[in-house]
Amino acid sequence: MTCFSSTDESAHYGFSVCMLLSQYRDQLGWVEEGVDELGTGDATAISDVVRALPGLRVRSYDISAPSVAQARANIAARGVADRYTVELGDFFDQADSAGGRPARTVIANPPYIPAPDRDILMPELWGGVRGNDLVLQLLKVGYTDVITAVASYSDPETTVRTAEELGYRVANFLAMGLDYGPYSSEPKVREHIHRLCADGHGWAGDDGYMVAIALFTRDQALPGDRGDQLLCSLQIAA
Ligand SMILES: C[S@@+](CC[C@H](N)C(=O)[O-])C[C@H]1O[C@@H](n2cnc3c(N)ncnc32)[C@H](O)[C@@H]1O
């Protein structure tokens, strides 16, 4: 097992989380409640966000032991261990069993690699056959706000429509084009992405794809209903 590594993708995730937490600071209540995180990786991106936003506390979980070891070292080196904690384990088990008041907001750059099965370069990044299993599972946990990555080739339309059925709106998002990295370039994965897109379950270009970090909310006080804008921005990939 290895630790997830994709500098551009992690930087976009961290920057976008920082923007969205700052823009919706008063509504999301993260100073009082902190936020939960699914999938720490090496923790560099969110460590920088914790440093940039005084008062932010993050409770994170990762199923990869090497990632958790690396994350703890990076968090300590950046001096934010008092506000950024990492537990080894499945987010969904831990979130169920952790006592105390749950946070209102969860952040995630979840696994979204689509493939016929889990036998891929880093199995922890498998997002199911269409790539959106974990984001759909996350939307069903019951958080008021879900800030999550949505990839253009991982059936984003089903993700947005399922979110709407669950009572979420897209308040806002930041989208960026990414080159295929080592995980999405694996031939078995690339062929599967090509098939999914040809069957109408997403969009991808020859050299890259789009990822948006989107804020889904159930809070009626937050303005915005940008689900269709989000889907338009992901189509630019094709
Ligand atoms: C795409 S990486 C993102 C890592 C980091 N947030 C970043 O953006 O750099 C997804 C991470 O989720 C972890 N993961 C996968 N399934 C998980 C689960 N059920 N619970 C907790 N972590 C999980 C993987 O091990 C991986 O480190």
Side-chain angles (χ1 to χ4, degrees):
M1 284 212 294
T2 53
C3 179
F4 170 78
S5 173
S6 178
T7 309
D8 292 351
E9 181 178 332
S10 298
H12 174 236
Y13 168 60
F15 179 82
S16 305
V17 166
C18 195
M19 278 288 295
L20 292 167
L21 290 181
S22 302
Q23 182 176 354
Y24 298 97
R25 180 188 183 97
D26 295 339
Q27 295 97 333
L28 300 189
W30 48 260
V31 175
E32 295 78 30
E33 299 182 20
V35 303
D36 294 341
E37 184 184 39
L38 159 61
T40 326
D42 71 5
T44 51
I46 298 301
S47 291
D48 290 342
V49 177
V50 172
R51 268 163 60 128
L53 299 178
L56 176 63
R57 283 172 292 108
V58 180
R59 186 171 61 168
S60 188
Y61 302 93
D62 204 296
I63 47 166
S64 151
S67 298
V68 170
Q70 187 62 57
R72 287 183 175 146
N74 288 337
I75 288 168
R78 283 165 171 75
V80 290
D82 55 334
R83 292 190 289 126
Y84 191 6
T85 60
V86 185
E87 300 299 331
L88 175 62
D90 188 321
F91 172 88
F92 298 101
D93 296 342
Q94 309 281 331
D96 284 348
S97 63
R101 196 160 163 238
R104 160 184 167 136
T105 302
V106 64
I107 62 173
N109 177 17
Y112 60 71
I113 298 292
D117 55 59
R118 205 169 185 270
D119 184 18
I120 56 175
L121 199 57
M122 184 173 170
E124 295 88 344
L125 299 182
W126 187 48
V129 174
R130 291 194 183 168
N132 60 354
D133 280 5
L134 275 93
V135 70
L136 294 177
Q137 199 178 345
L138 189 58
L139 288 164
K140 290 172 185 162
V141 172
Y143 286 94
T144 303
D145 311 295
V146 178
I147 297 178
T148 183
V150 180
S152 62
Y153 58 57
S154 303
D155 199 5
E157 180 138 33
T158 296
T159 300
V160 169
R161 301 306 170 216
T162 304
E164 288 169 354
E165 284 164 20
L166 292 166
Y168 287 101
R169 284 172 296 109
V170 176
N172 220 331
F173 64 90
L174 289 90
M176 183 175 170
L178 290 174
D179 296 335
Y180 290 112
Y183 312 109
S184 44
S185 291
E186 193 180 351
K188 166 180 176 173
V189 173
R190 278 292 285 278
E191 284 158 25
H192 189 72
I193 288 173
H194 187 74
R195 267 199 306 278
L196 277 181
C197 295
D199 289 347
H201 300 303
W203 303 281
D206 291 338
D207 302 319
Y209 62 105
M210 299 289 293
V211 171
I213 307 299
L215 165 57
F216 292 87
T217 187
R218 282 172 158 160
D219 185 346
Q220 298 300 328
L222 257 75
D225 192 357
R226 297 191 162 102
D228 289 334
Q229 288 178 16
L230 169 62
L231 291 172
C232 281
S233 77
L234 297 177
Q235 288 176 43
I236 296 168

